[in-house]
Structures are given as structure tokens and as C-alpha cells.
Amino acid sequence: MAKRIDHAARRQFIVERSMGLFAGMGYAKVSFLTISEATGVARTALYRYFKTKREIFDEAIHGCTHAIKVASAAIARQPLPVPERLNRVADTVIDTLFERKQFLLAIYAFVIDMVRRGEDMRARIAQFTGGLRELFLRLLEEGARRKELSVRVDPRLTSEVLFALLESVVLRILLGVELDAEKAKLRFSAMVRSIAENATCPEKGA
């Protein structure tokens, strides 16, 4: 009897192995043949799971960003002060960015190439990153209600500022000037500390 194939596991294997190829070679240099040779899955069989190389790339990006969203959402639900949760979310994101640095470079090269070809990438980027911006907003609104943040804090504006700070970490990693995750975390925590200054004590039962 032929061994039954776990198609879900094989699909995940293809994505994970391809992510390593994209990270090491860059998106443009990876082909279906490259992926086939690296995974041991025939090109004809690859088409059963993905129609194009871009589908694989998109799923690899989604897998990375989804893992961040799941971890961040779990942190956001913890019974901790809002400033601490904000810092823990940032720590998770920054650690992931440094762990996936090479893949981040592949994503950047891909986006730049698509923009040069005239493709509007704003919607796709928002699709992969929007959840984090909204999570910051929800936490900041909670912090304002609980009076854990300064009364001067505008949750929506501040969520944009915190998100932009993480975007700057991405850029600094890509430029090779951000070499230490801990320094990036300290900058973020300093920003969180500034918006928590002069906050009143949280109300009991809040």
C-alpha cells in the first residue's frame, strides 16, 4: 500500500524550505526548479500546492507575520500594566526581526522590485502589518481608560508613532546600522516610558 501523503505538512515544508532559499538567494534568483531541488518535490507536484513562486513567497511572509500577531495578541491579553504589555509586544517583534534578518532583506528587495515595476504595494504591506498597528491602538485606549498613560496621550496618534518606531528598526536593520536588538528595545521602552509619565494610579477594578 502506498504511503499516504500529509499534504498540509508537505505544503508547510515547501514554504519553510523556500523561505530559507529566499533569505539566502533573494526572491529574484529563486525559481520553481530551485525550490523543487531543495524540497525534493517534483515541479509538477509543486503546482498542486502553489501556482507561482509569488504564492509561496506570500505564504512565507504571512507565516512570519501571523506568528508575530499570535504572540502579540497573547501578550495583549495578559493581566499586566499596559506599558509593560506594549514593551513585551515590541520585544517580540524586534526579536523576530533580528532572527529573520536575511528573510527581511529578501522581502525588502522584492518590494523595491515590485515598486520599480509600477506595482502599488501599499495594500499588501498594510495587509501584513495592519494588525500590529491596531493592537497598539487597543492597548493605548485601554491604558487611557485605566489611567496608566499621561492624560495628554492621543491613542490613535501614539499608535502611529509606536508603529513608525518599529518601522525605523526595520530600516536600520536593512541599512546595517542596527546591530543590537537590545538597543532597539531600549529606544521603544523609552518612548513608552514618556507616554506613561505623569499618569495617575489605575482605578481599582479597572
Side-chain angles (χ1 to χ4, degrees), residues 6-24:
D6 185 336
H7 292 291
R10 174 178 276 190
R11 182 184 180 92
Q12 183 61 28
F13 171 73
I14 292 169
V15 171
E16 290 178 356
R17 186 60 60 88
S18 298
M19 187 166 69
L21 294 173
F22 292 133

Side-chain angles (χ1 to χ4, degrees), residues 168-181:
S168 75
V169 174
V170 172
L171 180 60
R172 289 170 63 85
I173 290 174
L174 292 171
L175 293 175
V177 298
E178 190 74 87
L179 304 176
D180 188 341

